[in-house]
Amino acid sequence: MTIDSLQNFTTHILMKKAIYPGTFDPITRGHIDMVQRAVKCCEHLIVGVAKSTPKNVWFSTEERVALVKDALKHLENVEVKVFEGLLVEFANKENAGFLIRGVRAFSDFEYELQMALINRKLNADIETMFLMPAEEYGYVSSSRVREIAALGGDIGRYVTPRTLQALKDKIVSRSETKDTPRRSAAGG
């Protein structure tokens, strides 16, 4: 294979535009790791922050967007946008041909596979690409980070300094309204 044919091959496999969607409540170093992996595969990555979600979020859409933008400001070909409604409709509107999904464990894969197949039925032109995080982030999730933080645990290794401060501030404001989680981080 010549250099020219290798460059042509690389150009064909590089995705033009992809979307990495999520609630990012809050963004974690696991999310950042996924974005850094995804930007190697595409020319332009949109990090889609879900506006409406069935999840019980701690941060408003605006707060989540600000934290995501801050955490990803070092990456040039990344754009942060809010979306509402079906993900495939958002991808179609943005002319993105790929969805990036993170898979930490087999349980994630089962759920993500079902979503990918449904999305394919809704729009066969949009593909889903699964990426695995670095080992040190394989167990990190926003919900676990929030739970550990609410119970006074050290979450500094899982989030950026700005997100850490935002979580501390949110815990103070939530404790004033007595709205913190009551389950233990051990699941009991």
Side-chain angles (χ1 to χ4, degrees):
M1 185 176 265
T2 68
I3 297 293
D4 288 337
S5 63
L6 182 60
Q7 287 174 334
N8 286 339
F9 177 74
T10 304
T11 300
H12 282 94
I13 63 168
L14 183 68
M15 298 178 284
K16 294 283 185 199
K17 189 184 284 189
I19 294 176
Y20 177 48
T23 53
F24 306 103
D25 186 48
I27 188 165
T28 67
R29 292 192 186 279
H31 293 127
I32 297 166
D33 177 66
M34 292 302 300
V35 170
Q36 290 172 329
R37 290 171 188 281
V39 296
K40 296 176 188 175
C41 304
C42 62
E43 292 177 9
H44 185 77
L45 180 69
I46 297 171
V47 176
V49 179
K51 182 175 184 177
S52 58
T53 173
K55 297 179 179 180
N56 183 18
V57 294
W58 277 23
F59 294 95
S60 70
T61 304
E62 295 77 18
E63 290 170 319
R64 290 182 282 134
V65 166
L67 291 172
V68 171
K69 284 182 176 182
D70 181 71
L72 303 176
K73 64 187 174 198
H74 64 286
L75 299 170
E76 293 180 18
N77 59 337
V78 175
E79 182 178 11
V80 179
K81 290 190 173 188
V82 175
F83 76 96
E84 192 168 22
L86 290 173
L87 176 57
V88 291
E89 289 177 3
F90 176 60
N92 194 49
K93 179 182 143 217
E94 295 295 330
N95 294 315
F98 293 86
L99 304 174
I100 306 293
R101 299 300 295 165
V103 178
R104 294 169 297 202
F106 184 73
S107 57
D108 283 350
F109 179 74
E110 188 173 10
Y111 172 80
E112 294 296 344
L113 176 63
Q114 291 174 14
M115 292 303 298
L117 294 174
I118 289 170
N119 285 335
R120 184 183 292 164
K121 286 290 185 189
L122 293 171
N123 187 333
D125 294 329
I126 298 173
E127 295 291 338
T128 301
M129 187 168 117
F130 300 115
L131 294 177
M132 293 173 45
E135 293 86 21
E136 64 263 31
Y137 304 121
Y139 58 92
V140 178
S141 70
S142 294
S143 57
R144 289 292 169 244
V145 166
R146 288 192 317 265
E147 191 172 5
I148 293 167
L151 295 167
D154 178 13
I155 56 161
R157 72 186 79 131
Y158 306 123
V159 296
T160 65
R162 180 163 178 206
T163 300
L164 178 61
Q165 188 58 54
L167 276 163
K168 288 178 179 179
D169 295 345
K170 189 62 72 171
I171 289 167
V172 169
S173 69
R174 289 175 67 89
S175 68
E176 291 170 358
T177 62
K178 308 279 191 236
D179 197 20
T180 55
R182 288 176 174 73
R183 292 180 298 147
S184 75

